[in-house]
Amino acid sequence: MNFEEFKKEFLNNIKDIKVTEEQIKMFYDYMIQILEWNQKINLTSITNEKEFIIKHFIDSLTVNKYLEGKQSIIDIGTGAGFPGMPLKIVNKEKKIVLVDSINKKLNVIRNINERIKLDNLEIIHSRAEDLGINSQYREKFDVATTRAVSNLSTILEYMLPFVKVGGLAICMKGPNYEDELKLATKAISVLGGKLEKIENINIDRELQRNLVIIKKIKNTPNKYPRGKAKPLKEPII
Ligand code: SAM
């Protein structure tokens, strides 16, 4: 797909967000390079460009309207940069931190960013539960995001420690979100959160995105996040 074809497809699908030609070029470069790296490192199962636009870019940007007035965002378990990189491209002035436990995926994003040169972007190799006890990062963010990382209870233990009181944890969830939400009731309150909103978005015929948005209403107790992979192996239920 050449740039003009990409631009047409991208603009046909992006709805409420205004993007400049420079930003569309960044999205294009990002996609081309991820697909190139994908031949060496397993980054995404989506290799068709039209699908890539919808399932990676448009899907990631569903979070964007919740970033209005927010300055600092952390994307946990970002993998090849989703949703963090698309959100960064359309919010050049906001600080975005991308975290993942697999450094080779982050090296791809670092490499791509040498070309597209986004400022105010920090890329950190760490497990979320290790970084979440670091005072430089704990309760320092207006918003935490995750897509496809783990069940709701586990990810909230990763996410809420990073969020300031008054901020949001935005969980991008698939079809089972209601069951996950029932199981996460205790985790939400223990970690200092409150269910703020659920938004169901039909991206296309095949893809429904459910945003589960948790507001942080009090500090997360110091004993969370627990270490030794406990949030995953023994989620708070
Ligand atoms: N968010 C990306 C997306 O939607 O394309 C990547 C999803 S991938 C299925 C899950 C990612 O979460 C992996 O890259 C994995 O390394 C990362 N991950 C899982 N548990 C983690 C943890 N405890 N701390 C940091 N990263 C984690």
Side-chain angles (χ1 to χ4, degrees):
M1 185 182 265
N2 66 33
F3 175 68
E4 287 308 320
E5 290 163 340
F6 174 86
K7 182 176 163 186
K8 193 168 165 222
E9 192 65 26
F10 186 78
L11 290 173
N12 271 343
N13 284 288
I14 195 166
K15 287 175 191 118
D16 308 322
I17 306 172
K18 284 215 170 76
V19 279
T20 62
E21 181 87 1
E22 189 198 6
Q23 286 166 327
I24 302 171
K25 280 195 182 126
M26 285 183 187
F27 278 108
Y28 180 67
D29 262 15
Y30 192 65
M31 178 188 78
I32 294 293
Q33 292 184 66
I34 290 283
L35 291 177
E36 238 173 77
W37 277 98
N38 205 37
Q39 292 171 13
K40 295 178 228 156
I41 299 174
N42 186 16
L43 296 168
T44 177
S45 58
I46 298 163
T47 52
N48 173 282
E49 287 123 326
K50 280 190 180 185
E51 258 188 78
F52 195 107
I53 291 173
I54 290 165
K55 295 190 176 166
H56 284 322
F57 291 154
I58 304 301
D59 187 28
S60 294
L61 292 172
T62 56
V63 172
N64 192 53
K65 66 177 179 185
Y66 296 100
L67 303 189
E68 207 174 299
K70 312 280 196 230
Q71 277 316 311
S72 50
I73 295 102
I74 186 163
D75 183 31
I76 297 160
T78 193
F82 303 112
M85 281 298 277
L87 292 172
K88 179 65 208 170
I89 293 174
V90 297
N91 289 284
K92 287 178 88 177
E93 77 298 347
K94 298 192 200 294
K95 175 187 170 71
I96 298 209
V97 175
L98 307 177
V99 182
D100 204 283
S101 54
I102 300 182
N103 203 31
K104 66 179 178 183
K105 296 186 185 179
L106 299 177
N107 280 337
V108 171
I109 309 176
R110 290 185 183 106
N111 192 291
I112 297 176
N113 199 43
E114 275 173 27
R115 216 180 119 130
I116 61 179
K117 296 193 191 321
L118 292 161
D119 296 327
N120 231 347
L121 175 71
E122 196 179 348
I123 301 171
I124 304 180
H125 173 219
S126 175
R127 290 193 65 85
E129 55 275 47
D130 298 333
L131 197 67
I133 56 173
N134 179 330
S135 59
Q136 243 185 294
Y137 295 92
R138 190 178 178 90
E139 300 197 328
K140 295 288 189 288
F141 294 87
D142 297 319
V143 177
T145 56
T146 48
R147 185 181 82 162
V149 175
S150 192
N151 70 79
L152 201 51
S153 179
T154 300
I155 57 174
L156 287 172
E157 190 169 348
Y158 296 157
M159 297 166 88
L160 281 170
F162 291 106
V163 179
K164 296 175 191 167
V165 172
L168 302 174
I170 304 181
C171 312
M172 301 178 69
K173 284 279 143 202
N176 296 329
Y177 75 96
E178 282 169 316
D179 293 340
E180 289 189 36
L181 195 53
K182 280 183 204 142
L183 290 172
T185 311
K186 183 171 173 197
I188 294 171
S189 77
V190 162
L191 296 163
K194 172 183 145 279
L195 178 63
E196 172 84 352
K197 186 176 174 182
I198 294 170
E199 186 179 0
N200 311 112
I201 303 159
N202 289 319
I203 294 186
D204 70 6
R205 254 179 290 137
E206 281 170 35
L207 179 61
Q208 172 163 324
R209 174 55 65 205
N210 307 297
L211 300 181
V212 177
I213 303 178
I214 307 294
K215 184 165 187 168
K216 181 130 164 192
I217 53 169
K218 54 181 195 261
N219 298 102
T220 300
N222 282 339
K223 69 184 244 205
Y224 301 109
R226 296 162 297 157
K228 298 192 178 132
K230 275 203 175 160
L232 178 64
K233 291 185 191 149
E234 295 167 32
I236 305 165
I237 43 173

